[in-house]
Amino acid sequence: MDFQKPKGTLDFLPGTVEKWQYVERKAHDLARRFNYREVRTPIFEYTQLFQRGVGETTDIVQKEMFSFQDMGGRNMTLRPEGTAGVVRAYVENKLFGEPDVSKLFYIGPMFRQERPQAGRYRQFHQFGIEAIGSVEPAIDAEVIAFGLQFFEDIGLKGTSVEINSVGNTASREAYNERLLAFLNPMRDSLCKDCQNRIDRNPLRVLDCKVDHDKFADAPSILDSLDEESLTHFEAVQRNLTAMGVAYTINPRLVRGLDYYTLTAFEFKTQSGIGAIDTIGGGGRYNKLVAEVGGPDQPGIGMAIGMERLQLLLADQQTEIDDKRPLDVYLIALGEKASAEITKQLHALRKLGFSAERDYLDRKMKAQMKSADRLEARYTVILGDDELERGEIAVKSMETREQVTVKLEDLASALK
Ligand code: AMP
């Protein structure tokens, strides 16, 4: 029987994982500087949360969720995105009772049954932030600036952000009418999905990958914004400018999730990953908290796809600090020496050194090669003769110089 990983998933092996850890360290550090604190929510939730939170008319809910019944017959779904779960946790744990805005971040796997391609998988990872409890445009700008700063911190080049406003409820209703007037005459020429979307949520149509080109002359949502929506959008832009953040306005940008209100944005890459040029996105969700049973609290967030970042970093040959050199490799020659090496190895590890030995009973030369492969800074060699004298040889792998020290002085010599 041959086993293979499920379609659309990836194995990350040592050598690659260090690159992920590097990006994750940068994520944690940036979150600390921006005062976002980590939250960890379940990988699966009740299906209804996503139907409610992400929206019945979205591609995600209609055809991409990994859903199953648990043994009690309850409908469960592997989370397709992070926001719904975080907002559920915010409501359930009454974080709205805290005096400050809840600024939270998460890093973890998400699941969508999409057709796999470069940069699109069925299990993928997102780094996301959510700021819940403020309507201030300054926080919209902060969330956008956070994303761009993250790309800068990890050394990714050629990124940019497109912003838009999808308006408040009133603006959206006004826009839907104008959009319908534009779409109805072409209804029959649109793809099946779009024909569905027109009736359920016409805004979604603009997001269609098939018919995209047909909507070049569609009315702009920006012309339908009411005063509240427009004031907010302009203030977001003023805040971005104040931070020196460059952006472009894309009035076609609507995002794939139903919960957005007012600000919506997407992070783009110049270089692209195959046909894909989006590396993250987000927006404001002023109705979502109430939608999942909480008080009427506004929120805004964004999420960045980690696989896409890794592909781009590799493509751009970004210098990544992912080396994990070993402090010391211990070589035993002879049986008695082997027992002593076991003792020394453990003592060094307890003291904080990274240390390794041979477990394959190999000859000295093969062990030296191991030490080289592990990029050991020092090799320590113990034969039965030295052991009798209570001594041990310490060799610097950099200078190739070797000295002999007392066994009990080994740790201080290595320091
Ligand atoms: P979304 O919320 O769908 O806009 O997703 C936000 C980001 O997550 C995207 O810009 C991608 O970087 C990443 N992402 C979404 N879906 C996938 C997927 N199937 N495979 C890999 N990355 C994804």
XYZ file of all heavy atoms in Angstrom, residues 90-133:
370
model
N -14.287 36.031 20.857
C -14.418 37.378 21.436
C -15.775 37.521 22.121
O -15.884 38.010 23.245
C -14.252 38.407 20.312
C -14.633 39.830 20.649
C -13.694 40.712 21.195
C -15.919 40.306 20.391
C -14.042 42.022 21.491
C -16.271 41.612 20.680
C -15.332 42.471 21.228
O -15.685 43.766 21.515
N -16.820 37.024 21.451
C -18.178 37.129 22.004
C -18.339 36.158 23.173
O -18.774 36.545 24.265
C -19.227 36.831 20.906
C -20.627 36.736 21.516
C -19.180 37.907 19.826
N -17.941 34.888 22.939
C -18.178 33.856 23.956
C -17.427 34.163 25.252
O -17.916 33.892 26.335
C -17.742 32.492 23.381
C -18.141 31.337 24.263
C -17.942 29.986 23.574
O -17.782 29.958 22.331
O -17.951 28.973 24.282
N -16.232 34.733 25.123
C -15.425 35.039 26.317
C -15.598 36.484 26.790
O -14.833 36.962 27.614
C -13.955 34.731 26.034
C -13.724 33.259 25.757
O -13.724 32.447 26.674
N -13.566 32.910 24.481
N -16.585 37.151 26.214
C -16.963 38.505 26.638
C -15.795 39.484 26.660
O -15.657 40.302 27.571
C -17.620 38.470 28.022
C -18.869 37.587 28.053
C -19.687 37.838 29.302
C -21.049 37.168 29.254
N -21.010 35.712 28.956
N -14.937 39.380 25.646
C -13.810 40.324 25.585
C -14.306 41.754 25.393
O -13.609 42.712 25.674
C -12.847 39.947 24.449
C -12.170 38.578 24.564
C -11.088 38.423 23.497
C -11.555 38.374 25.946
N -15.567 41.886 24.916
C -16.119 43.233 24.721
C -16.273 43.949 26.057
O -16.469 45.153 26.089
C -17.464 43.166 23.982
C -18.417 42.150 24.536
C -19.171 42.436 25.671
C -18.553 40.908 23.937
C -20.043 41.495 26.185
C -19.425 39.955 24.459
C -20.177 40.243 25.594
N -16.191 43.200 27.159
C -16.290 43.827 28.479
C -15.009 44.514 28.895
O -14.966 45.226 29.894
N -13.926 44.310 28.127
C -12.648 44.925 28.499
C -12.593 46.372 28.022
O -13.194 46.727 27.014
C -11.501 44.104 27.902
C -11.441 42.733 28.548
C -10.290 41.875 28.044
O -9.588 42.317 27.114
O -10.122 40.783 28.594
N -11.853 47.203 28.778
C -11.871 48.635 28.462
C -11.185 48.999 27.141
O -11.568 49.981 26.514
C -11.134 49.273 29.649
C -10.369 48.164 30.287
C -11.105 46.908 30.012
N -10.189 48.235 26.712
C -9.465 48.606 25.496
C -9.996 47.864 24.278
O -10.676 46.856 24.397
C -7.974 48.301 25.658
C -7.326 49.218 26.675
O -7.548 50.445 26.586
O -6.620 48.719 27.571
N -9.636 48.369 23.115
C -9.924 47.670 21.864
C -9.242 46.297 21.933
O -8.112 46.192 22.392
C -9.366 48.476 20.672
C -9.532 47.725 19.362
C -10.039 49.848 20.592
N -9.917 45.241 21.502
C -9.297 43.911 21.481
C -8.449 43.793 20.223
O -8.980 43.780 19.113
C -10.363 42.814 21.478
O -11.006 42.769 22.721
N -7.145 43.711 20.425
C -6.237 43.588 19.277
C -5.591 42.209 19.338
O -4.776 41.943 20.200
C -5.199 44.719 19.313
C -5.857 46.097 19.084
C -4.876 47.251 19.244
C -3.766 47.200 18.229
N -2.899 48.417 18.316
N -6.005 41.351 18.404
C -5.641 39.937 18.478
C -4.962 39.486 17.192
O -5.206 40.048 16.126
C -6.909 39.107 18.681
C -7.772 39.531 19.881
C -9.148 38.890 19.819
C -7.067 39.163 21.188
N -4.094 38.485 17.302
C -3.536 37.889 16.085
C -3.533 36.377 16.182
O -3.637 35.809 17.273
C -2.140 38.432 15.770
C -1.008 37.788 16.531
C -0.349 36.667 16.033
C -0.563 38.312 17.741
C 0.714 36.076 16.722
C 0.503 37.733 18.441
C 1.130 36.613 17.931
N -3.450 35.719 15.031
C -3.394 34.260 14.986
C -2.493 33.834 13.839
O -2.318 34.564 12.857
C -4.805 33.655 14.796
C -5.499 34.153 13.551
C -5.283 33.538 12.313
C -6.337 35.258 13.593
C -5.901 34.004 11.161
C -6.954 35.741 12.449
C -6.736 35.111 11.233
O -7.331 35.585 10.092
N -1.911 32.667 13.987
C -1.175 32.025 12.892
C -1.603 30.570 12.898
O -1.519 29.922 13.938
C 0.352 32.077 13.093
C 0.841 33.509 13.263
C 1.070 31.404 11.924
C 2.347 33.607 13.502
N -2.066 30.056 11.769
C -2.450 28.649 11.800
C -3.047 28.185 10.492
O -3.236 28.966 9.558
N -3.349 26.891 10.437
C -3.866 26.298 9.203
C -5.340 26.614 8.964
O -6.118 26.716 9.905
C -3.679 24.795 9.426
C -3.709 24.631 10.904
C -3.142 25.892 11.495
N -5.675 26.779 7.702
C -7.054 26.991 7.251
C -7.313 25.950 6.158
O -6.362 25.446 5.550
C -7.240 28.397 6.656
C -6.784 29.525 7.557
S -7.799 29.664 9.033
C -6.702 30.615 10.097
N -8.580 25.667 5.882
C -8.912 24.563 4.978
C -9.993 24.983 3.988
O -11.051 25.444 4.396
C -9.404 23.362 5.795
C -8.431 22.957 6.874
C -8.447 23.591 8.113
C -7.488 21.980 6.637
C -7.538 23.239 9.105
C -6.571 21.617 7.620
C -6.595 22.256 8.861
N -9.685 24.832 2.721
C -10.704 25.115 1.702
C -10.548 24.101 0.578
O -9.432 23.851 0.123
C -10.510 26.526 1.106
C -10.768 27.637 2.093
C -10.588 28.999 1.446
N -10.450 30.022 2.480
C -10.183 31.306 2.244
N -10.011 31.720 1.005
N -10.069 32.159 3.244
N -11.685 23.550 0.119
C -11.621 22.602 -0.995
C -11.604 23.340 -2.302
O -12.610 23.442 -2.980
C -12.833 21.675 -0.951
C -12.640 20.567 0.049
C -13.743 19.555 0.002
O -13.793 18.726 -0.886
N -14.627 19.611 0.980
N -10.441 23.879 -2.626
C -10.274 24.575 -3.899
C -9.482 23.675 -4.829
O -8.863 22.709 -4.404
C -9.509 25.881 -3.678
C -10.249 26.858 -2.778
C -9.593 28.215 -2.761
O -9.906 29.000 -3.669
O -8.783 28.493 -1.875
N -9.458 24.050 -6.112
C -8.633 23.298 -7.040
C -7.178 23.705 -6.818
O -6.831 24.875 -6.995
C -9.054 23.588 -8.468
C -8.406 22.611 -9.448
C -8.760 22.987 -10.836
N -10.215 23.242 -10.930
C -10.925 23.009 -12.008
N -10.341 22.520 -13.071
N -12.204 23.286 -12.040
N -6.328 22.772 -6.418
C -4.950 23.138 -6.081
C -4.166 23.644 -7.288
O -4.383 23.190 -8.406
C -4.338 21.825 -5.575
C -5.490 20.946 -5.256
C -6.594 21.346 -6.185
N -3.309 24.601 -7.068
C -2.362 25.107 -8.073
C -1.237 25.779 -7.290
O -1.296 25.820 -6.058
C -3.046 26.104 -9.008
C -3.540 27.366 -8.289
C -4.286 28.317 -9.210
O -5.466 28.137 -9.430
N -3.598 29.304 -9.729
N -0.228 26.292 -7.995
C 0.854 26.965 -7.266
C 0.255 28.103 -6.447
O -0.434 28.962 -6.985
C 1.876 27.508 -8.249
N 0.487 28.089 -5.143
C -0.030 29.168 -4.301
C -1.465 28.964 -3.854
O -2.017 29.807 -3.166
N -2.092 27.845 -4.254
C -3.457 27.568 -3.775
C -3.536 26.120 -3.317
O -3.292 25.200 -4.088
C -4.485 27.858 -4.869
C -5.920 27.579 -4.418
C -6.959 28.208 -5.325
N -6.955 29.655 -5.195
C -6.990 30.506 -6.220
N -7.016 30.049 -7.444
N -7.002 31.802 -6.009
N -3.829 25.940 -2.046
C -3.822 24.610 -1.448
C -5.122 24.380 -0.693
O -5.923 25.291 -0.526
C -2.612 24.479 -0.500
C -1.341 24.910 -1.177
C -0.852 26.205 -1.010
C -0.684 24.053 -2.049
C 0.281 26.629 -1.677
C 0.459 24.470 -2.723
C 0.934 25.754 -2.537
O 2.041 26.172 -3.209
N -5.309 23.140 -0.231
C -6.524 22.825 0.533
C -6.281 22.985 2.024
O -7.208 23.261 2.771
C -6.998 21.427 0.179
C -7.463 21.406 -1.262
C -8.063 20.112 -1.687
N -8.759 20.321 -2.944
C -9.474 19.409 -3.562
N -9.593 18.204 -3.027
N -10.072 19.685 -4.688
N -5.043 22.768 2.449
C -4.645 23.217 3.787
C -3.571 24.264 3.571
O -2.552 24.006 2.927
C -4.096 22.078 4.647
C -3.499 22.616 5.942
C -3.119 21.552 6.965
O -3.640 20.435 6.957
N -2.212 21.892 7.851
N -3.804 25.462 4.086
C -2.824 26.537 3.948
C -2.797 27.300 5.258
O -3.609 27.048 6.150
C -3.186 27.455 2.773
C -4.533 28.109 2.905
C -4.655 29.400 3.393
C -5.689 27.420 2.566
C -5.904 30.003 3.532
C -6.938 28.010 2.710
C -7.047 29.301 3.191
N -1.849 28.206 5.383
C -1.669 28.880 6.678
C -1.834 30.378 6.534
O -1.346 30.970 5.564
C -0.291 28.556 7.250
C -0.128 27.095 7.542
N 0.081 26.165 6.544
C -0.186 26.402 8.703
C 0.152 24.967 7.097
N -0.004 25.079 8.397
N -2.486 30.954 7.507
C -2.652 32.406 7.501
C -2.109 33.012 8.780
O -2.229 32.439 9.860
C -4.140 32.780 7.384
C -4.715 32.598 5.993
C -6.160 33.064 5.906
O -6.856 33.156 6.916
N -6.618 33.354 4.700
N -1.525 34.184 8.606
C -1.201 35.055 9.731
C -2.208 36.187 9.646
O -2.295 36.867 8.627
C 0.238 35.574 9.572
C 0.607 36.695 10.513
C 0.138 36.739 11.817
C 1.457 37.708 10.089
C 0.500 37.777 12.680
C 1.832 38.745 10.932
C 1.347 38.777 12.228
N -3.001 36.354 10.687
C -4.039 37.372 10.618
C -4.129 38.187 11.886
O -3.718 37.726 12.967
N -4.619 39.391 11.759
C -4.867 40.220 12.945
C -6.311 40.715 12.910
O -6.912 40.855 11.835
C -3.897 41.426 13.049
C -4.104 42.428 11.912
C -2.456 40.951 13.063
C -3.276 43.706 12.072
N -6.859 40.951 14.087
C -8.214 41.496 14.219
C -8.179 42.582 15.284
O -7.585 42.382 16.343
C -9.210 40.409 14.668
C -9.138 39.073 13.937
C -9.626 39.124 12.492
O -10.230 40.145 12.093
O -9.380 38.152 11.764
N -8.805 43.709 14.986
C -8.967 44.769 15.993
C -10.466 44.985 16.160
O -11.135 45.436 15.236
C -8.278 46.048 15.536
N -10.971 44.609 17.326
C -12.427 44.635 17.517
C -12.789 45.660 18.589
O -12.186 45.674 19.670
C -12.958 43.242 17.928
C -12.354 42.167 17.004
C -14.486 43.220 17.850
C -12.753 40.759 17.374
N -13.749 46.512 18.272
C -14.243 47.461 19.266
C -14.020 48.918 18.922
O -14.276 49.782 19.753
